[in-house]
Amino acid sequence: MALINVSNLTYGYEGSFDNIFENVSFSVDTNWKLGFVGRNGKGKTTFLQLLLGKYSYQGAITTSTVFDYFPYTISSENMEKSCSEFYEELKPGCELWKVICELEKLELSAEVLYRPFQSLSHGERTKVMLAVLFSGENDFLLIDEPTNHLDGEARECVKSYLQKKKGFILVSHDRDLLDACIDHILVLNRYSIEVQNGNFSSWWENKSRKDAFSIAENEKHKKEIQKLEKASERSRNWANQNEKTKIGYDPVKDHDRSISTRAYIGAKTKKMQSRVKQMENRIQKEIQEKEGLLQDIEAPVDLKIMPKKHHKEVLVSTKQYKIAYPSKENHSGKEVFSDFDFELRQGERVFLHGKNGCGKSTFIKSILQHSGMIEKEGFEEEGSVTLASGLEISYIHQDTSFLTGNIKDFCAKRQLDESLFCAILRQLDMERTQFAKNMEDYSEGQKKKVLIAASLLQSAHLYIWDEPLNYIDIFSRMQIEKLLQTYQPTMLIVDHDVRFREKIATRIVEM
């Protein structure tokens, strides 16, 4: 057992207005299975890089342990090689037989180590890198979002694998994965950092109780401050009026007033002013106790969407539909799926579910192609695809690499109201300082929020979202869930977040 001690850590990006971390202190046990959560852009990946010594910082991080990081960076040269040729570059001192043993636990054959890395699927690459990562001894492992782009089956396999491991920090926005695999949680709140025993659900329950208590305390302090302010103002007015009677009086009305009356009035005024001062001190004390109560409360603004009503009940339908990629020289063609009968009715939120490569994204591209939104893809079709006439579609692409330039140009190109667009990004908790940056400098989560904001701003009959939640933080996921439950737009969705699917899907189609 070893400790990682963080003391007065302060770090900010060059040119940034605010520090990401400001005098942060906490300790982590290297035997823990530690989950790491926080909003996009709060510094989760940055903190892992600080542990690895990639950036200079103020304060101290002290530990005797050695760190290793997932995902590994695979060079373009190594992408063409098999992992058996370069695994020692990823983890010096690593032994191949240990990697093979770890692969067995990940339900993967050792033959993947001898295939070109670029030929492996996302799931196979993830499993190979995890096997290399866990083949060492006594390392403390930093695992950054291992389930992005994985299908449901691969996610379950990775979840089962990590359940049996310990000694790692797991950055993830997948609530199901966090609940299954961690025994402690490190949370980057809005203005503080906390470490707590338990998984995500137990932390969220505790946080909900704490937030409710803080809100109640805040209201109590507000009422007490208002009451004290009224009493203080009343006493101040009495003191001022009393002070005015010290000098000048009507000898007819105050015929019995003696020379000592002025001293009496002065003493009485002083007593009232002392009472006012005491009340002002109590007000300041109440204000101080009120400060900070609401600083870490997650109170996301309710998002809005503007779905259109179509005059037809069935918006998309296919019969005996087949998609295949044509054969090329030295390569036979590939059938993606066949005999696919499908109907999407107005008001449904249909999730396409299946392994990576089963044709979910290809089917979405087919719909977009038939609607005229994208150019014809390089696949062949059989059977029929029917779209309701005049169908307007809002689409979120799973890839974000095409996002370049600034927000102003992005909005102009898509004919979006820039002020409304930025307002939605603010509601999704993006800082205003990000709006001045080019989008290629955004984190993956921030890029996804750009695509989501654009889709929400578009009024459509059908919303097609292809893996919209990859890299999106947990709090924004809950925000989006509430939005979709409230407005109930017609949707066709591909996403592997189990909790999200449970809350949103009206129907699941296995492919």
PDB file of all heavy atoms in Angstrom, residues 1-4 30-31 48 51-53 61-69 72 90-92 133 136-143 166-169:
ATOM      1  N   MET A   1       0.837  -1.193   0.000  1.00  0.00           N
ATOM      2  CA  MET A   1       0.000   0.000   0.000  1.00  0.00           C
ATOM      3  C   MET A   1       0.876   1.248   0.000  1.00  0.00           C
ATOM      4  O   MET A   1       1.865   1.332   0.709  1.00  0.00           O
ATOM      5  CB  MET A   1      -0.903   0.027   1.239  1.00  0.00           C
ATOM      6  CG  MET A   1      -1.829   1.228   1.295  1.00  0.00           C
ATOM      7  SD  MET A   1      -2.695   1.392   2.864  1.00  0.00           S
ATOM      8  CE  MET A   1      -1.429   2.185   3.847  1.00  0.00           C
ATOM      9  N   ALA A   2       0.509   2.225  -0.833  1.00  0.00           N
ATOM     10  CA  ALA A   2       1.226   3.509  -0.886  1.00  0.00           C
ATOM     11  C   ALA A   2       0.198   4.619  -1.014  1.00  0.00           C
ATOM     12  O   ALA A   2      -0.967   4.368  -1.353  1.00  0.00           O
ATOM     13  CB  ALA A   2       2.194   3.526  -2.065  1.00  0.00           C
ATOM     14  N   LEU A   3       0.623   5.817  -0.727  1.00  0.00           N
ATOM     15  CA  LEU A   3      -0.267   6.971  -0.813  1.00  0.00           C
ATOM     16  C   LEU A   3       0.204   7.920  -1.902  1.00  0.00           C
ATOM     17  O   LEU A   3       1.403   8.064  -2.147  1.00  0.00           O
ATOM     18  CB  LEU A   3      -0.328   7.713   0.518  1.00  0.00           C
ATOM     19  CG  LEU A   3      -1.105   7.054   1.659  1.00  0.00           C
ATOM     20  CD1 LEU A   3      -0.981   7.908   2.919  1.00  0.00           C
ATOM     21  CD2 LEU A   3      -2.571   6.852   1.298  1.00  0.00           C
ATOM     22  N   ILE A   4      -0.756   8.549  -2.546  1.00  0.00           N
ATOM     23  CA  ILE A   4      -0.470   9.669  -3.443  1.00  0.00           C
ATOM     24  C   ILE A   4      -0.980  10.917  -2.728  1.00  0.00           C
ATOM     25  O   ILE A   4      -2.193  11.070  -2.515  1.00  0.00           O
ATOM     26  CB  ILE A   4      -1.180   9.496  -4.796  1.00  0.00           C
ATOM     27  CG1 ILE A   4      -0.763   8.177  -5.449  1.00  0.00           C
ATOM     28  CG2 ILE A   4      -0.878  10.672  -5.716  1.00  0.00           C
ATOM     29  CD1 ILE A   4      -1.622   7.793  -6.638  1.00  0.00           C
ATOM     30  N   THR A  30      -3.212   3.774  -3.132  1.00  0.00           N
ATOM     31  CA  THR A  30      -2.968   3.069  -4.396  1.00  0.00           C
ATOM     32  C   THR A  30      -3.621   1.688  -4.451  1.00  0.00           C
ATOM     33  O   THR A  30      -3.535   1.007  -5.482  1.00  0.00           O
ATOM     34  CB  THR A  30      -1.456   2.923  -4.664  1.00  0.00           C
ATOM     35  OG1 THR A  30      -0.846   2.284  -3.543  1.00  0.00           O
ATOM     36  CG2 THR A  30      -0.819   4.279  -4.881  1.00  0.00           C
ATOM     37  N   ASN A  31      -4.267   1.262  -3.366  1.00  0.00           N
ATOM     38  CA  ASN A  31      -5.046   0.018  -3.402  1.00  0.00           C
ATOM     39  C   ASN A  31      -6.492   0.260  -3.820  1.00  0.00           C
ATOM     40  O   ASN A  31      -7.246  -0.676  -4.047  1.00  0.00           O
ATOM     41  CB  ASN A  31      -5.048  -0.656  -2.020  1.00  0.00           C
ATOM     42  CG  ASN A  31      -3.875  -1.595  -1.845  1.00  0.00           C
ATOM     43  OD1 ASN A  31      -3.346  -2.123  -2.824  1.00  0.00           O
ATOM     44  ND2 ASN A  31      -3.426  -1.779  -0.623  1.00  0.00           N
ATOM     45  N   LEU A  48      -4.511  13.716 -14.654  1.00  0.00           N
ATOM     46  CA  LEU A  48      -3.763  12.483 -14.946  1.00  0.00           C
ATOM     47  C   LEU A  48      -2.413  12.810 -15.578  1.00  0.00           C
ATOM     48  O   LEU A  48      -1.398  12.179 -15.270  1.00  0.00           O
ATOM     49  CB  LEU A  48      -4.573  11.577 -15.885  1.00  0.00           C
ATOM     50  CG  LEU A  48      -5.944  11.105 -15.386  1.00  0.00           C
ATOM     51  CD1 LEU A  48      -6.519  10.056 -16.336  1.00  0.00           C
ATOM     52  CD2 LEU A  48      -5.883  10.545 -13.969  1.00  0.00           C
ATOM     53  N   LEU A  51      -0.025  13.891 -12.905  1.00  0.00           N
ATOM     54  CA  LEU A  51       0.532  12.740 -12.197  1.00  0.00           C
ATOM     55  C   LEU A  51       1.677  12.111 -12.984  1.00  0.00           C
ATOM     56  O   LEU A  51       2.659  11.626 -12.411  1.00  0.00           O
ATOM     57  CB  LEU A  51      -0.555  11.691 -11.944  1.00  0.00           C
ATOM     58  CG  LEU A  51      -1.657  12.029 -10.930  1.00  0.00           C
ATOM     59  CD1 LEU A  51      -2.658  10.887 -10.849  1.00  0.00           C
ATOM     60  CD2 LEU A  51      -1.072  12.309  -9.548  1.00  0.00           C
ATOM     61  N   LEU A  52       1.531  12.124 -14.315  1.00  0.00           N
ATOM     62  CA  LEU A  52       2.570  11.545 -15.175  1.00  0.00           C
ATOM     63  C   LEU A  52       3.771  12.466 -15.347  1.00  0.00           C
ATOM     64  O   LEU A  52       4.754  12.094 -15.991  1.00  0.00           O
ATOM     65  CB  LEU A  52       1.973  11.223 -16.554  1.00  0.00           C
ATOM     66  CG  LEU A  52       0.956  10.077 -16.600  1.00  0.00           C
ATOM     67  CD1 LEU A  52       0.219  10.080 -17.923  1.00  0.00           C
ATOM     68  CD2 LEU A  52       1.632   8.741 -16.365  1.00  0.00           C
ATOM     69  N   GLY A  53       3.667  13.691 -14.787  1.00  0.00           N
ATOM     70  CA  GLY A  53       4.780  14.634 -14.880  1.00  0.00           C
ATOM     71  C   GLY A  53       4.880  15.326 -16.220  1.00  0.00           C
ATOM     72  O   GLY A  53       5.945  15.851 -16.582  1.00  0.00           O
ATOM     73  N   ILE A  61       3.061  16.945  -5.575  1.00  0.00           N
ATOM     74  CA  ILE A  61       2.451  15.612  -5.696  1.00  0.00           C
ATOM     75  C   ILE A  61       3.537  14.623  -5.299  1.00  0.00           C
ATOM     76  O   ILE A  61       4.542  14.484  -6.003  1.00  0.00           O
ATOM     77  CB  ILE A  61       1.958  15.333  -7.122  1.00  0.00           C
ATOM     78  CG1 ILE A  61       0.904  16.351  -7.556  1.00  0.00           C
ATOM     79  CG2 ILE A  61       1.395  13.914  -7.217  1.00  0.00           C
ATOM     80  CD1 ILE A  61       0.466  16.208  -9.002  1.00  0.00           C
ATOM     81  N   THR A  62       3.347  13.958  -4.164  1.00  0.00           N
ATOM     82  CA  THR A  62       4.382  13.047  -3.661  1.00  0.00           C
ATOM     83  C   THR A  62       3.854  11.621  -3.604  1.00  0.00           C
ATOM     84  O   THR A  62       2.747  11.380  -3.099  1.00  0.00           O
ATOM     85  CB  THR A  62       4.856  13.477  -2.259  1.00  0.00           C
ATOM     86  OG1 THR A  62       3.727  13.549  -1.375  1.00  0.00           O
ATOM     87  CG2 THR A  62       5.523  14.835  -2.309  1.00  0.00           C
ATOM     88  N   THR A  63       4.638  10.693  -4.111  1.00  0.00           N
ATOM     89  CA  THR A  63       4.285   9.275  -4.055  1.00  0.00           C
ATOM     90  C   THR A  63       5.506   8.447  -4.426  1.00  0.00           C
ATOM     91  O   THR A  63       6.419   8.929  -5.099  1.00  0.00           O
ATOM     92  CB  THR A  63       3.124   8.950  -5.017  1.00  0.00           C
ATOM     93  OG1 THR A  63       2.767   7.575  -4.880  1.00  0.00           O
ATOM     94  CG2 THR A  63       3.504   9.230  -6.461  1.00  0.00           C
ATOM     95  N   SER A  64       5.494   7.199  -4.003  1.00  0.00           N
ATOM     96  CA  SER A  64       6.581   6.275  -4.366  1.00  0.00           C
ATOM     97  C   SER A  64       6.163   5.359  -5.506  1.00  0.00           C
ATOM     98  O   SER A  64       6.954   4.543  -5.970  1.00  0.00           O
ATOM     99  CB  SER A  64       6.961   5.424  -3.142  1.00  0.00           C
ATOM    100  OG  SER A  64       5.833   4.681  -2.694  1.00  0.00           O
ATOM    101  N   THR A  65       4.918   5.484  -5.958  1.00  0.00           N
ATOM    102  CA  THR A  65       4.396   4.561  -6.964  1.00  0.00           C
ATOM    103  C   THR A  65       4.771   5.001  -8.374  1.00  0.00           C
ATOM    104  O   THR A  65       5.120   6.153  -8.620  1.00  0.00           O
ATOM    105  CB  THR A  65       2.864   4.444  -6.840  1.00  0.00           C
ATOM    106  OG1 THR A  65       2.408   3.320  -7.585  1.00  0.00           O
ATOM    107  CG2 THR A  65       2.172   5.698  -7.366  1.00  0.00           C
ATOM    108  N   VAL A  66       4.659   4.059  -9.328  1.00  0.00           N
ATOM    109  CA  VAL A  66       4.908   4.325 -10.748  1.00  0.00           C
ATOM    110  C   VAL A  66       3.565   4.337 -11.472  1.00  0.00           C
ATOM    111  O   VAL A  66       2.712   3.480 -11.224  1.00  0.00           O
ATOM    112  CB  VAL A  66       5.823   3.229 -11.359  1.00  0.00           C
ATOM    113  CG1 VAL A  66       6.013   3.455 -12.852  1.00  0.00           C
ATOM    114  CG2 VAL A  66       7.168   3.219 -10.651  1.00  0.00           C
ATOM    115  N   PHE A  67       3.363   5.305 -12.365  1.00  0.00           N
ATOM    116  CA  PHE A  67       2.094   5.442 -13.074  1.00  0.00           C
ATOM    117  C   PHE A  67       2.200   4.913 -14.498  1.00  0.00           C
ATOM    118  O   PHE A  67       3.265   4.954 -15.114  1.00  0.00           O
ATOM    119  CB  PHE A  67       1.670   6.919 -13.136  1.00  0.00           C
ATOM    120  CG  PHE A  67       1.433   7.544 -11.790  1.00  0.00           C
ATOM    121  CD1 PHE A  67       2.337   8.455 -11.266  1.00  0.00           C
ATOM    122  CD2 PHE A  67       0.313   7.231 -11.046  1.00  0.00           C
ATOM    123  CE1 PHE A  67       2.133   9.037 -10.034  1.00  0.00           C
ATOM    124  CE2 PHE A  67       0.093   7.804  -9.809  1.00  0.00           C
ATOM    125  CZ  PHE A  67       0.999   8.712  -9.300  1.00  0.00           C
ATOM    126  N   ASP A  68       1.079   4.418 -15.010  1.00  0.00           N
ATOM    127  CA  ASP A  68       0.968   4.086 -16.428  1.00  0.00           C
ATOM    128  C   ASP A  68      -0.414   4.536 -16.889  1.00  0.00           C
ATOM    129  O   ASP A  68      -1.379   4.535 -16.101  1.00  0.00           O
ATOM    130  CB  ASP A  68       1.163   2.591 -16.677  1.00  0.00           C
ATOM    131  CG  ASP A  68       1.536   2.295 -18.125  1.00  0.00           C
ATOM    132  OD1 ASP A  68       1.700   3.260 -18.895  1.00  0.00           O
ATOM    133  OD2 ASP A  68       1.651   1.109 -18.481  1.00  0.00           O
ATOM    134  N   TYR A  69      -0.534   4.898 -18.167  1.00  0.00           N
ATOM    135  CA  TYR A  69      -1.727   5.596 -18.659  1.00  0.00           C
ATOM    136  C   TYR A  69      -2.372   4.885 -19.840  1.00  0.00           C
ATOM    137  O   TYR A  69      -1.692   4.418 -20.760  1.00  0.00           O
ATOM    138  CB  TYR A  69      -1.319   7.024 -19.065  1.00  0.00           C
ATOM    139  CG  TYR A  69      -2.427   7.858 -19.642  1.00  0.00           C
ATOM    140  CD1 TYR A  69      -3.368   8.469 -18.823  1.00  0.00           C
ATOM    141  CD2 TYR A  69      -2.525   8.054 -21.019  1.00  0.00           C
ATOM    142  CE1 TYR A  69      -4.388   9.243 -19.358  1.00  0.00           C
ATOM    143  CE2 TYR A  69      -3.545   8.826 -21.566  1.00  0.00           C
ATOM    144  CZ  TYR A  69      -4.464   9.425 -20.731  1.00  0.00           C
ATOM    145  OH  TYR A  69      -5.467  10.192 -21.258  1.00  0.00           O
ATOM    146  N   TYR A  72      -2.887   4.197 -24.642  1.00  0.00           N
ATOM    147  CA  TYR A  72      -1.544   4.438 -25.162  1.00  0.00           C
ATOM    148  C   TYR A  72      -1.643   5.204 -26.487  1.00  0.00           C
ATOM    149  O   TYR A  72      -2.622   5.062 -27.231  1.00  0.00           O
ATOM    150  CB  TYR A  72      -0.816   3.114 -25.410  1.00  0.00           C
ATOM    151  CG  TYR A  72      -0.489   2.342 -24.163  1.00  0.00           C
ATOM    152  CD1 TYR A  72      -1.117   1.137 -23.875  1.00  0.00           C
ATOM    153  CD2 TYR A  72       0.482   2.807 -23.274  1.00  0.00           C
ATOM    154  CE1 TYR A  72      -0.803   0.405 -22.739  1.00  0.00           C
ATOM    155  CE2 TYR A  72       0.803   2.091 -22.128  1.00  0.00           C
ATOM    156  CZ  TYR A  72       0.149   0.898 -21.862  1.00  0.00           C
ATOM    157  OH  TYR A  72       0.465   0.192 -20.736  1.00  0.00           O
ATOM    158  N   LEU A  90       5.293   0.269 -25.550  1.00  0.00           N
ATOM    159  CA  LEU A  90       4.181   0.812 -24.760  1.00  0.00           C
ATOM    160  C   LEU A  90       4.456   0.669 -23.271  1.00  0.00           C
ATOM    161  O   LEU A  90       4.209   1.591 -22.486  1.00  0.00           O
ATOM    162  CB  LEU A  90       2.873   0.093 -25.116  1.00  0.00           C
ATOM    163  CG  LEU A  90       2.450   0.105 -26.587  1.00  0.00           C
ATOM    164  CD1 LEU A  90       1.127  -0.632 -26.756  1.00  0.00           C
ATOM    165  CD2 LEU A  90       2.345   1.535 -27.116  1.00  0.00           C
ATOM    166  N   LYS A  91       4.953  -0.515 -22.879  1.00  0.00           N
ATOM    167  CA  LYS A  91       5.210  -0.774 -21.462  1.00  0.00           C
ATOM    168  C   LYS A  91       6.558  -1.477 -21.333  1.00  0.00           C
ATOM    169  O   LYS A  91       6.636  -2.698 -21.454  1.00  0.00           O
ATOM    170  CB  LYS A  91       4.095  -1.636 -20.874  1.00  0.00           C
ATOM    171  CG  LYS A  91       4.068  -1.654 -19.348  1.00  0.00           C
ATOM    172  CD  LYS A  91       2.840  -2.423 -18.869  1.00  0.00           C
ATOM    173  CE  LYS A  91       2.713  -2.347 -17.364  1.00  0.00           C
ATOM    174  NZ  LYS A  91       2.285  -1.012 -16.908  1.00  0.00           N
ATOM    175  N   PRO A  92       7.630  -0.721 -21.114  1.00  0.00           N
ATOM    176  CA  PRO A  92       8.964  -1.324 -21.006  1.00  0.00           C
ATOM    177  C   PRO A  92       9.003  -2.409 -19.925  1.00  0.00           C
ATOM    178  O   PRO A  92       8.459  -2.241 -18.831  1.00  0.00           O
ATOM    179  CB  PRO A  92       9.852  -0.133 -20.619  1.00  0.00           C
ATOM    180  CG  PRO A  92       9.141   1.062 -21.177  1.00  0.00           C
ATOM    181  CD  PRO A  92       7.678   0.751 -21.020  1.00  0.00           C
ATOM    182  N   LEU A 133      -1.559  -2.869 -20.364  1.00  0.00           N
ATOM    183  CA  LEU A 133      -1.573  -1.988 -19.187  1.00  0.00           C
ATOM    184  C   LEU A 133      -1.501  -2.788 -17.893  1.00  0.00           C
ATOM    185  O   LEU A 133      -0.734  -2.462 -16.981  1.00  0.00           O
ATOM    186  CB  LEU A 133      -2.851  -1.129 -19.203  1.00  0.00           C
ATOM    187  CG  LEU A 133      -2.963  -0.026 -18.152  1.00  0.00           C
ATOM    188  CD1 LEU A 133      -2.122   1.177 -18.555  1.00  0.00           C
ATOM    189  CD2 LEU A 133      -4.417   0.404 -17.978  1.00  0.00           C
ATOM    190  N   GLY A 136       1.796  -5.407 -16.081  1.00  0.00           N
ATOM    191  CA  GLY A 136       2.898  -5.050 -15.182  1.00  0.00           C
ATOM    192  C   GLY A 136       2.566  -5.380 -13.740  1.00  0.00           C
ATOM    193  O   GLY A 136       1.518  -5.936 -13.433  1.00  0.00           O
ATOM    194  N   GLU A 137       3.454  -5.021 -12.837  1.00  0.00           N
ATOM    195  CA  GLU A 137       3.241  -5.253 -11.411  1.00  0.00           C
ATOM    196  C   GLU A 137       3.488  -3.963 -10.640  1.00  0.00           C
ATOM    197  O   GLU A 137       4.422  -3.216 -10.931  1.00  0.00           O
ATOM    198  CB  GLU A 137       4.184  -6.344 -10.897  1.00  0.00           C
ATOM    199  CG  GLU A 137       3.910  -7.718 -11.477  1.00  0.00           C
ATOM    200  CD  GLU A 137       4.871  -8.764 -10.939  1.00  0.00           C
ATOM    201  OE1 GLU A 137       5.699  -8.424 -10.073  1.00  0.00           O
ATOM    202  OE2 GLU A 137       4.788  -9.923 -11.390  1.00  0.00           O
ATOM    203  N   ASN A 138       2.607  -3.723  -9.657  1.00  0.00           N
ATOM    204  CA  ASN A 138       2.749  -2.608  -8.708  1.00  0.00           C
ATOM    205  C   ASN A 138       2.624  -1.220  -9.334  1.00  0.00           C
ATOM    206  O   ASN A 138       2.920  -0.222  -8.685  1.00  0.00           O
ATOM    207  CB  ASN A 138       4.096  -2.698  -7.964  1.00  0.00           C
ATOM    208  CG  ASN A 138       4.249  -4.017  -7.226  1.00  0.00           C
ATOM    209  OD1 ASN A 138       3.294  -4.508  -6.635  1.00  0.00           O
ATOM    210  ND2 ASN A 138       5.441  -4.588  -7.293  1.00  0.00           N
ATOM    211  N   ASP A 139       2.213  -1.135 -10.606  1.00  0.00           N
ATOM    212  CA  ASP A 139       1.947   0.179 -11.190  1.00  0.00           C
ATOM    213  C   ASP A 139       0.579   0.665 -10.720  1.00  0.00           C
ATOM    214  O   ASP A 139      -0.339  -0.134 -10.484  1.00  0.00           O
ATOM    215  CB  ASP A 139       1.933   0.108 -12.724  1.00  0.00           C
ATOM    216  CG  ASP A 139       3.316  -0.146 -13.299  1.00  0.00           C
ATOM    217  OD1 ASP A 139       4.281  -0.126 -12.513  1.00  0.00           O
ATOM    218  OD2 ASP A 139       3.418  -0.358 -14.518  1.00  0.00           O
ATOM    219  N   PHE A 140       0.448   1.983 -10.590  1.00  0.00           N
ATOM    220  CA  PHE A 140      -0.874   2.570 -10.339  1.00  0.00           C
ATOM    221  C   PHE A 140      -1.362   3.089 -11.683  1.00  0.00           C
ATOM    222  O   PHE A 140      -0.717   3.928 -12.317  1.00  0.00           O
ATOM    223  CB  PHE A 140      -0.792   3.697  -9.306  1.00  0.00           C
ATOM    224  CG  PHE A 140      -2.149   4.199  -8.878  1.00  0.00           C
ATOM    225  CD1 PHE A 140      -2.962   3.412  -8.079  1.00  0.00           C
ATOM    226  CD2 PHE A 140      -2.608   5.448  -9.270  1.00  0.00           C
ATOM    227  CE1 PHE A 140      -4.207   3.859  -7.674  1.00  0.00           C
ATOM    228  CE2 PHE A 140      -3.846   5.912  -8.862  1.00  0.00           C
ATOM    229  CZ  PHE A 140      -4.652   5.108  -8.070  1.00  0.00           C
ATOM    230  N   LEU A 141      -2.506   2.589 -12.135  1.00  0.00           N
ATOM    231  CA  LEU A 141      -2.929   2.775 -13.517  1.00  0.00           C
ATOM    232  C   LEU A 141      -3.948   3.905 -13.652  1.00  0.00           C
ATOM    233  O   LEU A 141      -4.897   4.004 -12.864  1.00  0.00           O
ATOM    234  CB  LEU A 141      -3.504   1.468 -14.059  1.00  0.00           C
ATOM    235  CG  LEU A 141      -2.554   0.263 -13.912  1.00  0.00           C
ATOM    236  CD1 LEU A 141      -3.214  -1.005 -14.413  1.00  0.00           C
ATOM    237  CD2 LEU A 141      -1.237   0.519 -14.638  1.00  0.00           C
ATOM    238  N   LEU A 142      -3.746   4.721 -14.665  1.00  0.00           N
ATOM    239  CA  LEU A 142      -4.603   5.866 -14.945  1.00  0.00           C
ATOM    240  C   LEU A 142      -5.390   5.542 -16.215  1.00  0.00           C
ATOM    241  O   LEU A 142      -4.841   5.541 -17.315  1.00  0.00           O
ATOM    242  CB  LEU A 142      -3.764   7.127 -15.141  1.00  0.00           C
ATOM    243  CG  LEU A 142      -2.674   7.372 -14.080  1.00  0.00           C
ATOM    244  CD1 LEU A 142      -1.855   8.609 -14.438  1.00  0.00           C
ATOM    245  CD2 LEU A 142      -3.290   7.499 -12.686  1.00  0.00           C
ATOM    246  N   ILE A 143      -6.679   5.238 -16.063  1.00  0.00           N
ATOM    247  CA  ILE A 143      -7.491   4.731 -17.173  1.00  0.00           C
ATOM    248  C   ILE A 143      -8.499   5.805 -17.573  1.00  0.00           C
ATOM    249  O   ILE A 143      -9.406   6.132 -16.827  1.00  0.00           O
ATOM    250  CB  ILE A 143      -8.219   3.432 -16.769  1.00  0.00           C
ATOM    251  CG1 ILE A 143      -7.215   2.428 -16.190  1.00  0.00           C
ATOM    252  CG2 ILE A 143      -8.950   2.831 -17.950  1.00  0.00           C
ATOM    253  CD1 ILE A 143      -7.864   1.200 -15.583  1.00  0.00           C
ATOM    254  N   LYS A 166      -7.645  -3.846  -9.156  1.00  0.00           N
ATOM    255  CA  LYS A 166      -7.578  -2.746  -8.191  1.00  0.00           C
ATOM    256  C   LYS A 166      -6.307  -1.946  -8.462  1.00  0.00           C
ATOM    257  O   LYS A 166      -5.456  -2.349  -9.255  1.00  0.00           O
ATOM    258  CB  LYS A 166      -7.591  -3.258  -6.755  1.00  0.00           C
ATOM    259  CG  LYS A 166      -6.371  -4.072  -6.355  1.00  0.00           C
ATOM    260  CD  LYS A 166      -6.462  -4.487  -4.895  1.00  0.00           C
ATOM    261  CE  LYS A 166      -5.208  -5.264  -4.476  1.00  0.00           C
ATOM    262  NZ  LYS A 166      -5.241  -5.638  -3.045  1.00  0.00           N
ATOM    263  N   GLY A 167      -6.196  -0.808  -7.797  1.00  0.00           N
ATOM    264  CA  GLY A 167      -5.026   0.041  -7.979  1.00  0.00           C
ATOM    265  C   GLY A 167      -5.092   0.871  -9.241  1.00  0.00           C
ATOM    266  O   GLY A 167      -4.186   0.811 -10.075  1.00  0.00           O
ATOM    267  N   PHE A 168      -6.205   1.616  -9.410  1.00  0.00           N
ATOM    268  CA  PHE A 168      -6.330   2.442 -10.614  1.00  0.00           C
ATOM    269  C   PHE A 168      -7.234   3.646 -10.350  1.00  0.00           C
ATOM    270  O   PHE A 168      -8.030   3.663  -9.406  1.00  0.00           O
ATOM    271  CB  PHE A 168      -6.878   1.627 -11.796  1.00  0.00           C
ATOM    272  CG  PHE A 168      -8.217   0.984 -11.562  1.00  0.00           C
ATOM    273  CD1 PHE A 168      -9.403   1.725 -11.614  1.00  0.00           C
ATOM    274  CD2 PHE A 168      -8.311  -0.380 -11.286  1.00  0.00           C
ATOM    275  CE1 PHE A 168     -10.640   1.130 -11.422  1.00  0.00           C
ATOM    276  CE2 PHE A 168      -9.547  -0.990 -11.083  1.00  0.00           C
ATOM    277  CZ  PHE A 168     -10.718  -0.229 -11.147  1.00  0.00           C
ATOM    278  N   ILE A 169      -7.073   4.645 -11.213  1.00  0.00           N
ATOM    279  CA  ILE A 169      -8.033   5.748 -11.317  1.00  0.00           C
ATOM    280  C   ILE A 169      -8.771   5.556 -12.631  1.00  0.00           C
ATOM    281  O   ILE A 169      -8.151   5.430 -13.690  1.00  0.00           O
ATOM    282  CB  ILE A 169      -7.339   7.125 -11.320  1.00  0.00           C
ATOM    283  CG1 ILE A 169      -6.696   7.415  -9.962  1.00  0.00           C
ATOM    284  CG2 ILE A 169      -8.338   8.230 -11.653  1.00  0.00           C
ATOM    285  CD1 ILE A 169      -5.982   8.760  -9.892  1.00  0.00           C
TER     286      ILE A 169
END
